[in-house]
Amino acid sequence: MPHAPWIPPQGDPNNGDVLDAVVIGGGVTGLAAASSLLLRGVSKLLVLDRNPPGAEGPWATSARMKTLRTAKSGMGPTPGVPSLSPRAWYEATYGAEAWEDITFFPLNDWVEYLRWFKEVLGLPVQNNADVVDVEALSNGWLRLTAEVDGVTRLVTARRVIVCTGYGGWGGARLPAVLQDLPKKLYAHSSESIDFRALEGLRVGILGVGASAIDNASTALEHGAASVDFYVRRRSVPTLHRAKALINVGCIEGFGYMEGETRFEFLRLLQADGAPPPAHSVQRLREAGSHRLHLGSDITAVNADGDSLTLWANGQPHSLDFLISATGFEVDGRRRPEWQRLLPSMKFVGDDPELPERARQAFAHHPAVDRDYRILEAVPGTCPGLRNVFVLADAAIPSQGVGAVSVIGAAAVAAHAATAVIGTLFAEDSALHLNKMNDYCEPEYAVDDWPDPVESANPASTGRA
């Protein structure tokens, strides 16, 4: 590995060479997709990531856990190559005994592992590249416009794989009460936060999920005077139903179920909310005291100079900084790059057989097929759309959470890569057929064949 390149070159008279595939996003799933393609002979490949080198994905920026939340086994971008696995890297770095001693992969080591994975495979990642437009050409190719270090770059590709994780098909979800606040007084948990500046301050946290717990712990560890959680629920979730489905069958088979059945799975997963992991809760306990305000109906948040007043259930709460750990929303209308293609997309919410609550919940999720390809609202009207593969949160109602999990990334990416490879080969079938027809490299020269001799077998009849 890697296999030899096998795709006939294509040319674009208006823009030079055509790439076989572009991956948008260089996080875990993006690395998995790129490696699955590169190792299987798709060499004209590019990964575009808006972040600086080493900061792809949330791991070196907004991930504030000390270890990953998922058990150490069976995770990572490894495309079926054991020597590229997190375990192989960890044992090579620290020894086999060290691997046995950990339950969860340390975050700092995870960051270093992903950087090593990218470098050892020589994956073609273009950093500081923000995709601002995707145009479907009449022949099914896609033209991407990216701002790279302030310079506009045009890239033409036959396939595009979207690996933008959570928030990449929309953005951070912020309560309306925060919209008019000075930005210096609040942040979403996915943003960069200077926790050193929170020393001695009163910090409020919206939410009580894993991200909320991690941000609260980090604030306390940096000397925050106090931390208060404000939670709409009347109890803290403790049951993580998703653990019942951490298996290959669910990761690879979720999309084979009917839409109504898929929704029942999702409804059950969302019913209780996802609890923070036990080791995250233990970290919070060790970080310092905090207060939990359950059943909080927040009606307003007012700014007064360098402080805030949060009104919950009619009572004022004084704070100095607020962190909104309220997750993400899927809505392509918030992303400039998809504006041209949105009118041609079919959405999960368009399915008349889904319950009304499901149609509303997934109104802005593009519908993708079992190969993660976006479906057209009217088949045949936008051929380029079928060459866009979505391995991000937008695909969850159609394909489950595999694409946005460290456990499912490799399997999901390998599946999509197989579809990319298969469709490219089929699309080029005439070229491959011509190559076979024109093949003229004999196995041996006829003149080299030895002269015929009499049979040495006395029982031979001489007949062929």
Side-chain angles (χ1 to χ4, degrees), residues 169-170 259 262 329-335 338-355 358-369 373-379 385 390 393-399:
W169 199 277
R262 292 199 305 269
E329 66 178 4
V330 171
D331 188 348
R333 296 174 301 181
R334 295 182 58 175
R335 304 298 314 168
W338 301 117
Q339 298 311 300
R340 292 179 188 261
L341 301 185
L342 282 175
S344 299
M345 293 181 190
K346 180 180 179 179
F347 294 91
V348 176
D350 297 337
D351 186 348
E353 296 185 3
L354 284 180
R359 293 201 298 272
Q360 292 179 1
F362 304 133
H364 301 301
H365 288 254
V368 302
D369 66 13
R373 304 168 76 186
I374 295 181
L375 296 172
E376 300 166 272
V378 180
L385 197 59
V390 179
D393 59 353
I396 288 176
S398 299
Q399 290 287 351

Side-chain angles (χ1 to χ4, degrees), residues 396-421:
I396 288 176
S398 299
Q399 290 287 351
V401 298
V404 287
S405 72
V406 294
I407 288 182
V412 166
H415 183 107
T418 297
V420 168
I421 289 168

Side-chain angles (χ1 to χ4, degrees), residues 280-298:
S280 293
V281 175
Q282 181 59 34
R283 176 191 175 193
L284 177 63
R285 289 172 179 156
E286 296 171 355
S289 61
H290 53 275
R291 291 180 290 267
L292 192 61
H293 306 274
L294 297 171
S296 293
D297 179 19
I298 301 172

